[in-house]
Amino acid sequence: MTTITLYHNPRCSKSRETLALLESNGVQPNIIKYLETPPSADTLTALKDKLGIRSFRDMMRTKEADYKTAQLGDASVTEAQLLDAMVNNPKLIERPIAVKAERAVIGRPPENVLDLLA
């Protein structure tokens, strides 16, 4: 069985719910507390590809004050700038992100992770 990795923030209710859902389905994920151990630019790029999304913006917390303060919603902000913002301020990364092999899902809602168990 392939291991599931969970990019987790224990202070986030959705992240805790996602972890509990995985555990209730017999999965003990490899947990990465991404605020303590921020992912590199290469890791974030790989996550974007595994999520199957087109823009880094789709994996960002767009309602976060730091997102608004940095004006990251502006259409002129490049993908490289979005990536750099997440590397330097990991709280901008949407949470949780669950990864299994070459697939990933954002656990919003937490039930999204069940797709990785099929």
Side-chain angles (χ1 to χ4, degrees), residues 2 9 11 34-35 41-42 47 56 64 66 69 96 98 112 115:
T2 304
N9 178 353
R11 295 185 64 191
Y34 69 92
L35 292 178
D42 288 344
L47 285 172
F56 284 110
E64 190 72 42
D66 291 351
T69 301
N112 284 352
D115 291 346

Side-chain angles (χ1 to χ4, degrees), residues 7 32-40 43-44 86-88 90 93:
Y7 287 84
I32 297 174
K33 294 180 182 176
Y34 69 92
L35 292 178
E36 296 173 15
T37 310
S40 67
T43 298
L44 288 169
M86 286 191 293
V87 168
N88 292 308
I93 301 168

Side-chain angles (χ1 to χ4, degrees), residues 13-42:
S13 64
K14 294 296 181 196
S15 199
R16 290 191 310 269
E17 288 173 28
T18 300
L19 176 58
L21 184 60
L22 287 169
E23 290 175 340
S24 72
N25 278 276
V27 175
Q28 199 58 253
N30 174 37
I31 296 174
I32 297 174
K33 294 180 182 176
Y34 69 92
L35 292 178
E36 296 173 15
T37 310
S40 67
D42 288 344

Side-chain angles (χ1 to χ4, degrees), residues 19-98:
L19 176 58
L21 184 60
L22 287 169
E23 290 175 340
S24 72
N25 278 276
V27 175
Q28 199 58 253
N30 174 37
I31 296 174
I32 297 174
K33 294 180 182 176
Y34 69 92
L35 292 178
E36 296 173 15
T37 310
S40 67
D42 288 344
T43 298
L44 288 169
T45 300
L47 285 172
K48 178 179 157 276
D49 292 343
K50 290 177 182 187
L51 286 164
I53 57 178
R54 294 182 54 183
S55 173
F56 284 110
R57 191 172 279 114
D58 296 333
M59 60 187 287
M60 295 180 84
R61 297 179 53 78
T62 58
K63 294 180 182 166
E64 190 72 42
D66 291 351
Y67 180 90
K68 293 174 182 174
T69 301
Q71 298 179 337
L72 296 171
D74 188 300
S76 67
V77 177
T78 67
E79 287 296 304
Q81 290 169 314
L82 293 172
L83 175 59
D84 188 55
M86 286 191 293
V87 168
N88 292 308
N89 190 355
K91 83 175 174 181
L92 289 170
I93 301 168
E94 187 59 273
R95 60 186 179 249
I97 298 175

